Amino acid sequence: MKEKKIDLSTETKIKEAARVVFYKKGFSATRTRDIAEEAGINLALLNYYFRSKEKLFEIIMFETFSAFVQSMAVILNDETTNLESKVELIANRYIDFIIREPEVPTFLISEIRNNPQELLEKLPIKQLLNNSVFFKQHHEAVTQGFIMEPHPLHFLMNLLGLVVFPFIAKPLIMGGQDLDIEQFNALMIERKKLIPIWIGAMMKAK
């Protein structure tokens, strides 16, 4: 049997098109024809490279979550930065990232809800949470009396919630205050300075 020859540039073009469409529409509302049109190719060529929408979605979902987790791991396991610096880095990097990729938060949340067990099996989430430098530094700060809240998950959930939730609620925030996208993004950029202040105040509160 003749081996199928793969054109990596076409394969990459299809994956990037799938990423755009899946982020906007999610799995159920996306048709393979939508992806082919976004990639500027015919449907037969898409089917030649990727036999099913399910396969493409699995690739995009895993790559998106993997990139998020790996980026988070780099920050949380950096022994050269303290807790305050880690909070600033997370706020800065992820606000900038979501402004560039505004559809990612709802995509991630949808898949966390739909496929939690699969994500836990494929991604090193438990190791990241339980063995990170971040958690060790939090424990030390609690022991030394610098942080009053003893559970590191509260610390991390508060931080991620402050970063991500406004983007999830963007349509309500923009519509409720008649903001355009430039005004909304400016508001989010202000939060890069405010979030570390808020997190610091929350964790020191009795």
Side-chain angles (χ1 to χ4, degrees):
M1 180 183 289
K2 188 176 179 181
E3 185 177 350
K4 185 168 80 170
K5 190 174 180 180
I6 297 296
D7 179 347
L8 292 179
S9 63
T10 301
E11 187 178 61
T12 299
K13 183 191 295 185
I14 293 170
K15 283 175 58 179
E16 287 309 307
R19 195 183 314 278
V20 170
V21 178
F22 281 135
Y23 282 0
K24 287 181 179 178
K25 294 187 173 185
F27 176 78
S28 298
T30 295
R31 304 172 303 164
T32 50
R33 188 174 300 279
D34 298 328
I35 299 170
E37 289 174 359
E38 180 71 27
I41 62 173
N42 61 51
L43 189 56
L45 187 58
L46 186 148
N47 289 332
Y48 175 79
Y49 283 91
F50 298 95
R51 290 296 180 188
S52 68
K53 182 178 78 168
E54 288 79 6
K55 180 64 176 176
L56 251 177
F57 185 78
E58 182 180 339
I59 292 169
I60 299 307
M61 181 186 71
F62 181 75
E63 287 184 355
T64 302
F65 272 93
S66 182
F68 180 85
V69 171
Q70 288 173 12
S71 175
M72 184 71 70
V74 169
I75 297 173
L76 296 186
N77 286 313
D78 187 349
E79 295 185 354
T80 68
T81 58
N82 58 21
L83 281 176
E84 289 79 6
S85 296
K86 286 179 172 62
V87 170
E88 292 174 6
L89 282 168
I90 289 172
N92 276 273
R93 287 190 189 179
Y94 286 104
I95 286 174
D96 287 344
F97 170 73
I98 299 172
I99 286 174
R100 292 195 308 270
E101 300 282 357
E103 307 297 337
V104 168
T106 50
F107 176 80
L108 292 177
I109 287 172
S110 174
E111 292 317 304
I112 288 171
R113 184 184 63 219
N114 294 332
N115 300 294
Q117 194 56 44
E118 183 179 358
L119 293 171
L120 284 171
E121 289 171 0
K122 290 186 175 181
L123 299 173
I125 295 172
K126 288 184 179 179
Q127 297 91 316
L128 175 63
L129 292 178
N130 295 330
N131 302 319
S132 67
V133 171
F134 176 90
F135 273 32
K136 292 175 184 175
Q137 289 176 329
H138 179 273
H139 177 73
E140 291 172 2
V142 170
T143 301
Q144 295 169 8
F146 297 130
I147 292 178
M148 296 298 107
E149 171 50 56
H151 204 307
L153 277 179
H154 282 307
F155 194 114
L156 194 56
M157 288 188 294
N158 284 340
L159 174 55
L160 294 178
L162 286 169
V163 171
V164 175
F165 179 77
F167 290 99
I168 296 170
K170 181 170 69 171
L172 297 179
I173 295 170
M174 290 178 64
Q177 291 293 302
D178 294 324
L179 303 177
D180 60 29
I181 190 60
E182 288 79 15
Q183 291 171 318
F184 176 82
N185 286 343
L187 201 63
M188 297 305 101
I189 289 169
E190 287 179 16
R191 293 174 68 82
K192 293 197 289 186
K193 292 183 179 179
L194 294 171
I195 286 172
I197 296 171
W198 294 335
I199 287 292
M202 273 191 280
M203 294 303 103
K204 292 173 183 176
K206 292 185 179 180

